[in-house]
Amino acid sequence: METVKPDGAPRIGNGLDTKLVSKPIVNRLAYGIMYVFLVLVAMFQIFPIIWLFLFSLKSSQEVFNMSPFSLPENPKWENYAKVWTEGNISLYFINSVTYTLAAVILTVVLASMVTFAITRMHWKGSRLVLGLFMVGLMIPVHSTLIPLFSTFTNINLIDNPLSIILTYTAFNLPITIMILLGFYEALPREVEEAAVMDGASIHHIFFKITLPMTMPVMATAAIINMIYNWNEFVFVNTFISSDSFKTLTVGIQNFIGQYTTDWGAIGATLVISILPILIAFLILSNRIVEGIASGSVKG
């Protein structure tokens, strides 16, 4: 819009132009504040990992005689070699990977079968069965130690890796079913109905059609199960006594003696123990977000 000044010279625009110009500035300022806040949050999140890495390069004398935030004067990379060879961490690492992967695969597959049966098949008592699984979320872990120990003793599974895998699977089934439930409810039934019309069996529908469609939410469930299984301590410490079957979380105790404690070795063990979870999360992060987003929207 053109306006005319008192002296006759044209003037372009009006008060709306000022608002249009100021609005992008406000948006940029808001985005800038948000990014600064997110950077600060990220720094607080990453700082413990960096601190733990520096801690693993110190000797026990540096841990006690220097500031907790100081850099190691002479980085002791040999701490990692020491824990990997002398501390049997390589064996504990393999055990942790074995128990975790076996329990995750078993849990996700069984939970997928249960969720498929509850949401895609019509049968009496399906909601009752779902309620029984959800009751498992309310059972405290520590209250089951004595009954499980007694049961495993009677069937000769004490000091057996199978006791750990079965326990992890049983305790993770309820939360895994709950994660899968919303996603299965949102799946279109037309694909399965078309498969039935073509003569596909229930097993073919589950393994060839439904299971591949649920990969995003299965990745979310898998990483949650992986974190729990990898960091678990109580069950391994209770059911496993042989050194050859222990995991990383229990093996750390090897560096804690009656009179001395090798803090640098403990730090190196902790760094080794968190690396697989960090790598798995970075690889599956997009799948996790996709699974959470897909499972939260129905229809």
Side-chain angles (χ1 to χ4, degrees), residues 20-121:
L20 292 175
V21 173
S22 61
K23 190 173 181 180
I25 297 176
V26 173
N27 289 340
R28 291 175 185 174
L29 182 61
Y31 275 111
I33 295 174
M34 181 184 69
Y35 283 125
V36 170
F37 175 75
L38 292 176
V39 168
L40 291 175
V41 172
M43 290 175 62
F44 278 110
Q45 296 288 333
I46 296 174
F47 175 76
I49 300 176
I50 298 175
W51 179 87
L52 179 61
F53 175 71
L54 296 176
F55 179 88
S56 68
L57 299 177
K58 294 181 180 180
S59 63
S60 297
Q61 291 76 17
E62 288 179 313
V63 169
F64 288 103
N65 298 332
M66 298 175 61
S67 169
F69 306 105
S70 62
L71 298 176
E73 293 181 349
N74 185 22
K76 293 188 174 296
W77 297 99
E78 58 268 22
N79 285 339
Y80 288 90
K82 178 181 179 180
V83 300
W84 191 259
T85 55
E86 299 178 17
N88 285 334
I89 294 301
S90 58
L91 176 62
Y92 302 149
F93 184 88
I94 294 173
N95 290 340
S96 294
V97 171
T98 303
Y99 301 162
T100 298
L101 289 181
V104 166
I105 293 172
L106 191 59
T107 303
V108 172
V109 171
L110 290 178
S112 298
M113 291 180 176
V114 172
T115 309
F116 179 85
I118 292 174
T119 59
R120 318 306 282 184
M121 302 170 66

Side-chain angles (χ1 to χ4, degrees), residues 13-295:
N14 52 24
L16 292 176
D17 294 330
T18 305
K19 293 180 180 179
L20 292 175
V21 173
S22 61
K23 190 173 181 180
I25 297 176
V26 173
N27 289 340
R28 291 175 185 174
L29 182 61
Y31 275 111
I33 295 174
M34 181 184 69
Y35 283 125
V36 170
F37 175 75
L38 292 176
V39 168
L40 291 175
V41 172
M43 290 175 62
F44 278 110
Q45 296 288 333
I46 296 174
F47 175 76
I49 300 176
I50 298 175
W51 179 87
L52 179 61
F53 175 71
L54 296 176
F55 179 88
S56 68
L57 299 177
K58 294 181 180 180
S59 63
S60 297
Q61 291 76 17
E62 288 179 313
V63 169
F64 288 103
N65 298 332
M66 298 175 61
S67 169
F69 306 105
S70 62
L71 298 176
E73 293 181 349
N74 185 22
K76 293 188 174 296
W77 297 99
E78 58 268 22
N79 285 339
Y80 288 90
K82 178 181 179 180
V83 300
W84 191 259
T85 55
E86 299 178 17
N88 285 334
I89 294 301
S90 58
L91 176 62
Y92 302 149
F93 184 88
I94 294 173
N95 290 340
S96 294
V97 171
T98 303
Y99 301 162
T100 298
L101 289 181
V104 166
I105 293 172
L106 191 59
T107 303
V108 172
V109 171
L110 290 178
S112 298
M113 291 180 176
V114 172
T115 309
F116 179 85
I118 292 174
T119 59
R120 318 306 282 184
M121 302 170 66
H122 299 285
W123 48 286
K124 291 182 180 180
S126 60
R127 292 299 167 184
L128 175 62
V129 171
L130 177 61
L132 291 176
F133 274 106
M134 293 301 104
V135 169
L137 293 171
M138 298 180 286
I139 299 177
V141 173
H142 299 87
S143 66
T144 64
L145 288 176
I146 295 177
L148 283 175
F149 188 88
S150 176
T151 301
F152 288 148
T153 301
N154 293 333
I155 60 178
N156 296 322
L157 282 184
I158 290 296
D159 200 24
N160 190 316
L162 192 58
S163 62
I164 302 301
I165 296 173
L166 291 177
T167 305
Y168 288 173
T169 302
F171 273 91
N172 287 334
L173 268 177
I175 186 65
T176 307
I177 292 173
M178 189 173 67
I179 293 172
L180 298 176
L181 201 62
F183 193 91
Y184 269 80
E185 291 283 0
L187 287 177
R189 297 180 181 271
E190 289 76 12
V191 179
E192 297 168 1
E193 292 171 357
V196 172
M197 295 297 293
D198 291 338
S201 64
I202 191 69
H203 303 91
H204 180 88
I205 292 173
F206 175 72
F207 286 106
K208 299 293 184 180
I209 298 175
T210 306
L211 207 60
M213 293 171 61
T214 60
M215 282 300 175
V217 72
M218 286 175 63
T220 304
I223 192 66
I224 292 174
N225 278 267
M226 193 181 302
I227 292 172
Y228 170 80
N229 295 343
W230 189 266
N231 295 325
E232 202 281 322
F233 173 82
V234 176
F235 290 134
V236 178
N237 195 49
T238 304
F239 302 146
I240 299 297
S241 56
S242 296
D243 201 57
S244 58
F245 294 143
K246 290 182 179 180
T247 59
L248 277 172
T249 53
V250 179
I252 293 176
Q253 297 180 99
N254 290 349
F255 302 103
I256 302 175
Q258 183 176 2
Y259 301 106
T260 60
T261 299
D262 194 340
W263 294 103
I266 291 177
T269 305
L270 292 174
V271 171
I272 293 174
S273 67
I274 67 175
L275 280 179
I277 295 298
L278 287 177
I279 294 172
F281 183 81
L282 291 175
I283 294 174
L284 299 175
S285 58
N286 292 334
R287 288 281 188 174
I288 295 170
V289 174
E290 183 181 350
I292 294 174
S294 301

